[in-house]
Amino acid sequence: MALLDVRELTVSYGGVAANLGIDLQVEPGTVVGLIGPNGAGKTTFVDAVTGFTHATTGRIEFAGTELTGMGPAARARTGLARTFQSVELFDDLTVRDNLAVAAGRPRWYSLLVDLVRPGRGRNDGADRVDRALTRMGLEALAERPGAALSHGQRTLVGMARALAAEPSLVLLDEPAAGLDTSESRQLGTRIRGLAAEGLSILLIDHDMELVMDVCDDVYVLDFGRVIAHGPPAAVRADPQVVAAYLGTGGAAAVGDVAEDAAVEADHG
Amino acid sequence: MADYAFFLLLGTAAGAIIAAFGLGLLVTYQGAGVVNFGYGALVAWSGYVYADLRRGGYPFPVPGLPARYHFGHDVGFWWAITLALLTAAALGALVYAVVFRPLSNAPDLARVVASIGLVVAMTALIDRRFADNAGLRVGPILPREPVTFAKGITVPRDGLWLAAVVIALAAAVWAASRYTRLGLATRAAAGNERGAVLLGYSPRRLAMASSVLASLIGSFVVILASPMIQLSGGVFAFGYLIPALGAALVGRFRSIGVTVAVGLAIGMVQSAFTKLQVDLSWFPKYGAREGLPFLVIIVAMAVRGERLPGRGATDRWKLPPVPPARLTPVSVLVPVLAAVVGLLAFGPLWRAAIMTSLIAMVLALSLVVLTGFAGQASLAQMAMAGVAGFALSKLATGWGVPFPVAPLLAALVATAFGVLVGLPALRVRGTNLAIVTLAGGVAIAEFAFKNPDIVGDISSGGAKVPNPSLGGWDFGLILGTNPSRPVFGLFLLAVTVVLALLVANLRRSGSGRRILAARSNERAASAVGIDVARTKLQAYAISSFIAGVGGCLIAYRFGSVSDSSFGVVASLTAVSFAYLGGITSISGAVTAGMLASSGVAFFALSRLTGKVGTWDAFIGGVALIVMAVTNPEGIAGGIRSRAAARRATAGEVAA
């Protein structure tokens, strides 16, 4: 059974459907890609799965639990972690504390205990923090405040924070945005490494190269619908994908290819 | 029904003032981006200027100058209103230039504190210049002849006139903002300052113009209303201001129509309460008028508020950073020893000042947790303290509960109230939350603290509280013939130290980290599994427990509790000093305690300079504004960042 099983998910804002009848599955230990041009509804999908926006209709099942009706925090505690396109670190806290916030598993009495004995307790997850720092290679930055990092470092800290809770699925929302080619390639290696350790990943990105390199399975979204799904090689060759993806979002960057694709699409 | 129509119509005057204040607040917000809590007190001054001119004097708002210029005779309506409105325009411009413009990039809380300074200064000024204001009567301006609507519904017509004037003013402002280029530029500037620049206007000049316009609107209406109501600084500063804030909030500080309509409605319904109290036995005798704006605000917020800020929501409620809590033998022992020496070695006056400072520290600590750590505003902190104070009296005097149990239970009662007050905070943020808590604090104070059913007979000096004693050992302030026992000071000190250590522990613990994370970014916090609502309520609980302990300490000190210790002004002052001391750290709370009025710093200053005299409230208000403008991060924060800067430069030199 799939770890994440989304059926017929529709998200409407007013009369406009940002997601329309999306079916998507993530199997344990796999990296699934979700791509699509700007405004295709990728972040809306992540928000709907993680509880940040209200799904109008559809079912979201995670590790056998129906998530509909749960708030974002409750969903996160079932082992579903996410990052943000805009990273969203806790800028007032150090890198270590950013991770510790995610790693902690407070009990109902934690507040009272903390007021009297604030030392790092059993529920603090210091070991999980250290593991996440090592996994993302951030040991040297641990004591720096979040506000004092470069964009690339912040992206890594954002991922490390998602990992610190030791979730079973991470949704990465555009982790390669703002990274240069070599940083992006490094990121790809890290993502594969995490999957090799058994973590499942849903990777949302613009960077075709990255998605095609690291994913086992790719979904393509356009105007809120899934227009293609399959292994990377098959999706890359799909004429509909070429038309939708390169015809709009990638036009400036890819130039000729996009024009060719548009011509093809017209004739098709 | 006719009776209700009568009372509703009678309420048009009050409704018109509330609507005009709401309009003024909206104009200030749109033009200058500021919610001016000092607006009511500011425009009240113009009403007094008018009244004074009609009896032949012009009051000067500056201490040291002669109190007033004497014309020797009534200057007449036109001269009086012209001079009063010129004064209003000048004050509007001055307040923008010296208070809000310098704070345009400061944290929102700095602006709230500065406008609280404005309230304190202006009400003190009115108190000083019009100490005899009970005798200040103003002749009619608007036509007063009674008008009969139906049988039994005959009301003076001036209230209706006033409402008509306010509606006309609102329509004029609406038309100007809609159809003139200047209005368009102001609306553009409210959205984005660059918008105004593109249209060729200076945002600063627009903000200045809005501030002047707002001051003129409020002043004009106050002057027209002055024959109909009892002039009083407090009524304008809070009585009309709080419902006006509610009306403006319902109109989102944007819709003129909604703001004016809600303002008028609040005034009229409040007036009908007089009748309801007679007709319905269960209708609350106390606090209903003050409760109404609170309910309006709560309902508007509940309908509209979001549990989490939306994607890309901009946050103007920036707070100073929270430094780590470093507990070292020096940082704990030095202040404690200083306090012990002060309490034991100096005379009763010094002792009293130290005790005042210690209690103020406790209240500041409660705000460090709530505002500093959790980022939640509260202008109702003294209401929490008051709940505990009155509960203590009931427990200890009424039911004979012994010492350590009674104050702890009383603080727990305050904790429960605090969680209740915190509920709106789950959907309301920043300055809006400050408005909600202000209205809520006033409602609690009026509903509970002035209600003889709850607090007992006020005329006998308030509800009694026995001395604290443990196993026969009495450590109260007054015992037998000794009116100032040092042992009570040591008791205050011990409680303060314990609370400070609890707050330090909170800062260093996982719970504290979660609270800070939620303050820093609510979306990200819930993404990592933090229940943001729960952490906010935890902060409210801890904070109101500490405030409750503070209320018990106040009660023990005076041997009784009365509503005057726990009113809205006390809450505003507590926030102001906590902010000025440094709202994000324990050292800030200690600084706040030292600064508090009648505390150590004040006492030392009055010793050095002789008598500060009758102007101390005014000077305190002005000092608050000056400190908020020069130290937007608070004094402790300022010292810390200066020290950090020095370390950084030293590091560069070394490298």
Side-chain angles (χ1 to χ4, degrees), chain A residues 3-65:
Chain A
L3 181 63
L4 176 72
D5 190 1
V6 179
R7 299 278 173 195
E8 288 291 320
L9 178 77
T10 297
V11 181
S12 307
Y13 297 118
V16 186
N19 279 181
L20 200 61
I22 295 185
D23 284 315
L24 184 147
Q25 283 78 38
V26 179
E27 300 296 330
T30 60
V31 182
V32 175
L34 180 63
I35 58 173
N38 274 327
K42 303 188 295 295
T43 297
T44 301
F45 179 78
V46 176
D47 282 352
V49 170
T50 49
F52 282 84
T53 196
H54 180 72
T56 316
T57 56
R59 280 175 66 79
I60 303 164
E61 221 170 80
F62 175 69
T65 315

Side-chain angles (χ1 to χ4, degrees), chain A residues 212-236:
Chain A
M212 295 302 173
D213 280 356
V214 304
C215 291
D216 303 304
D217 193 18
V218 175
Y219 289 79
V220 185
L221 217 56
D222 195 20
F223 295 114
R225 291 172 191 277
V226 175
I227 56 167
H229 168 217
V235 165
R236 195 201 295 267

Side-chain angles (χ1 to χ4, degrees), chain B residues 310-408:
Chain B
R311 210 196 291 174
T314 50
D315 180 13
R316 304 221 317 146
W317 184 257
K318 289 258 184 300
L319 284 163
V322 182
R326 286 198 193 86
L327 284 183
T328 60
V330 175
S331 73
V332 179
L333 286 181
V334 168
V336 169
L337 282 177
V340 169
V341 169
L343 285 166
L344 296 180
F346 295 157
L349 289 177
W350 270 110
R351 210 174 295 144
I354 295 172
M355 290 179 189
T356 304
S357 283
L358 286 171
I359 292 175
M361 275 172 212
V362 170
L363 294 164
L365 279 174
S366 80
L367 285 160
V368 165
V369 172
L370 187 62
T371 308
F373 293 176
Q376 305 301 305
S378 171
L379 301 183
Q381 212 61 6
M382 289 309 286
M384 296 304 119
V387 165
F390 284 109
L392 175 64
S393 167
K394 199 108 205 160
L395 286 163
T397 313
W399 301 339
V401 181
F403 162 70
V405 183
L408 284 177

Side-chain angles (χ1 to χ4, degrees), chain A residues 34-206:
Chain A
L34 180 63
I35 58 173
N38 274 327
K42 303 188 295 295
T43 297
T44 301
F45 179 78
V46 176
D47 282 352
V49 170
T50 49
F52 282 84
T53 196
H54 180 72
T56 316
T57 56
R59 280 175 66 79
I60 303 164
E61 221 170 80
F62 175 69
T65 315
E66 168 71 44
L67 294 184
T68 318
M70 288 164 78
R75 293 188 195 198
R77 286 195 294 268
T78 64
L80 182 67
R82 72 170 287 183
T83 67
F84 292 89
Q85 196 174 340
S86 42
V87 188
E88 315 254 354
L89 294 188
F90 306 123
D91 284 337
D92 295 339
L93 303 185
T94 62
V95 169
R96 179 182 294 283
D97 281 350
N98 262 277
L99 271 56
V101 164
R105 286 175 190 161
R107 309 294 301 269
W108 62 268
Y109 52 77
S110 294
L111 178 65
L112 297 174
V113 175
D114 283 348
L115 286 173
V116 186
R117 282 198 54 218
R120 289 174 186 276
R122 267 180 299 134
N123 299 319
D124 253 18
D127 47 339
R128 288 190 286 274
V129 171
D130 289 334
R131 272 201 295 277
L133 285 171
T134 321
R135 269 169 137 183
M136 300 309 292
L138 289 168
E139 297 95 327
L141 299 176
E143 306 309 326
R144 298 267 289 275
L149 302 176
S150 74
H151 177 76
Q153 290 169 333
R154 289 171 65 83
T155 308
L156 292 181
V157 174
M159 282 179 65
R161 188 178 64 188
L163 297 177
E166 311 215 322
S168 37
L169 173 68
V170 184
L171 284 72
L172 300 173
D173 192 358
E174 309 236 356
L179 299 191
D180 63 33
T181 325
S182 79
E183 282 175 322
S184 183
R185 197 165 305 137
Q186 253 184 338
L187 183 73
T189 319
R190 283 195 198 283
I191 292 174
R192 283 288 4 152
L194 293 172
E197 291 173 35
L199 185 68
S200 315
I201 293 165
L202 180 63
L203 171 65
I204 292 92
D205 218 291
H206 268 319

